[in-house]
């Protein structure tokens, strides 16, 4: 009987990742070694990572606000900076809040928010079938429901005028700049989750146009944007009757617009 091959050492894995250009090769190697169940699985993971696949797609999950969020191949990986948006939403949510997560991707934002609230009601939607399949695992585990369709279209009509917190992590990269994104995003994430149109605000305009009809009085729409787009994005929300304010977090390089229905 042949002996089972010994797993590659940490140093060997680090060397392979570093040769592929992974900046955090040591941390990534430790994560891959702890995740892989067999030497063959580890080798396949290292090969995928070395080929440029996002680490989160390789291991199948991302850490987001202390939660392990399932992230399938091709699905938008939740960014650490977006934790700031969820923190802002948590501070606004009333007891028993009705939460909607539009353009939900993996469902990380909604799942993380309701995990920090008592008695919240969560609904999430995305137009990408792959994202919806992924989100159903994360959101259902948080007690919520996920719908497939374009923005508000698949949501239950009974939610109109009842939403306390509307999370909308819309794509905001201008079309002409998508090709400038890192390959991990540009090649391995769905373009529909990245491309925000000519000025990056096309999807946002559609969200803010209908937001007042879905928000409860005093409810807020929260969305992330870039620092240079913040003023224009706030103006879009104001034009649709919402009262916007811009909040930032220098540590996470995050810019969030909170637009409230008064």
């Amino acid at each position: 009987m042949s002996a089972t091959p010994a797993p590659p050492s940490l140093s060997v894995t680090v060397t392979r990742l570093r040769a592929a250009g992974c900046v955090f090769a040591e941390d990534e190697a430790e994560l891959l070694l702890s995740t892989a169940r067999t030497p063959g699985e580890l080798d396949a993971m290292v090969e995928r990572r070395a080929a440029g696949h996002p680490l989160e797609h390789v291991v199948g999950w991302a850490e987001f606000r202390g939660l392990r969020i399932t992230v399938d191949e091709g699905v938008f990986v939740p960014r650490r900076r977006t934790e700031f948006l969820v923190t802002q939403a948590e501070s606004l949510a009333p007891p028993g809040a009705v939460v909607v997560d539009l353009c939900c991707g993996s469902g990380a934002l909604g799942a993380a928010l309701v995990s920090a609230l008592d008695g919240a009601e969560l609904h999430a939607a995305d137009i990408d079938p792959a994202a919806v399949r992924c989100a159903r695992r994360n959101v259902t585990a948080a007690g919520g429901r996920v719908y497939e369709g374009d923005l508000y279209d698949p949501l239950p009509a009974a939610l109109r005028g009842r939403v306390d917190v509307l999370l909308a992590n819309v794509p905001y990269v201008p079309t002409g700049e998508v090709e400038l994104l890192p390959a991990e995003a540009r090649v391995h994430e769905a373009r529909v989750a990245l491309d925000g149109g000519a000025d990056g605000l096309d999807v946002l305009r559609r969200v803010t146009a209908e937001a007042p009809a879905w928000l409860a009085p005093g409810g807020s729409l929260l969305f992330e944007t870039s620092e240079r787009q913040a003023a224009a994005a706030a103006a879009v929300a104001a034009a649709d009757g919402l009262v916007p304010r811009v909040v930032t977090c220098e540590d996470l390089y995050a810019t969030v617009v909170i637009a409230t229905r008064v």
Side-chain angles (χ1 to χ4, degrees):
M1 179 182 295
S2 60
T4 301
S9 68
L10 176 63
S11 61
V12 170
T13 305
V14 169
T15 298
R16 290 178 65 187
L17 294 174
R18 191 173 287 143
C22 298
V23 177
F24 302 105
E26 291 84 358
D27 292 340
E28 293 190 10
E30 290 181 354
L31 178 59
L32 293 175
L33 282 162
S34 68
T35 302
R37 293 164 293 186
T38 66
E41 187 174 39
L42 175 64
D43 186 63
M45 285 181 166
V46 174
E47 284 294 326
R48 290 182 65 210
R49 181 63 182 134
H53 290 256
L55 180 65
E56 295 82 1
H57 288 167
V58 173
V59 298
W61 57 273
E63 182 181 347
F64 187 79
R65 249 187 152 231
L67 299 181
R68 182 174 286 202
I69 300 293
T70 298
V71 184
D72 293 336
E73 186 74 26
V75 175
F76 184 83
V77 176
R79 286 14 177 193
R80 184 56 57 87
R81 65 172 178 268
T82 311
E83 292 182 351
F84 179 65
L85 186 154
V86 177
T87 299
Q88 296 301 306
E90 183 183 353
S91 70
L92 295 170
V98 175
V99 176
V100 169
D101 185 359
L102 285 188
C103 305
C104 70
S106 66
L109 276 66
L113 177 57
V114 300
S115 74
L117 302 175
D118 292 327
E121 176 184 338
L122 173 60
H123 301 265
D126 202 288
I127 197 171
D128 179 10
V132 169
R133 288 193 297 271
C134 183
R136 284 201 169 117
R137 279 173 281 162
N138 295 312
V139 171
T140 302
R145 297 182 62 186
V146 184
Y147 312 88
E148 182 179 333
D150 187 22
L151 298 180
Y152 302 96
D153 288 352
L155 295 177
L159 289 175
R160 294 178 70 89
R162 293 184 53 233
V163 179
D164 298 299
V165 178
L166 177 56
L167 309 171
N169 200 22
V170 298
Y172 57 88
V173 179
T175 301
E177 297 178 19
V178 171
E179 294 305 314
L180 304 179
L181 292 173
E184 285 188 18
R186 174 171 40 83
V187 176
H188 297 287
E189 294 178 331
R191 188 173 181 115
V192 70
L194 304 170
D195 192 339
D199 64 353
L201 303 178
D202 281 0
V203 181
L204 176 64
R205 290 186 182 93
R206 296 178 56 217
V207 169
T208 61
E210 292 191 54
W214 290 87
L215 287 171
S220 294
L221 161 68
L222 295 93
F223 58 89
E224 191 175 85
T225 188
S226 68
E227 184 178 6
R228 66 184 172 87
Q229 291 169 304
V236 167
D240 286 316
L242 301 172
V243 178
R245 59 188 175 95
V246 178
V247 292
T248 60
C249 176
E250 292 185 4
D251 290 342
L252 294 175
Y253 302 101
T255 301
V256 169
V257 176
I258 302 172
T260 302
R261 177 191 166 189
V262 294

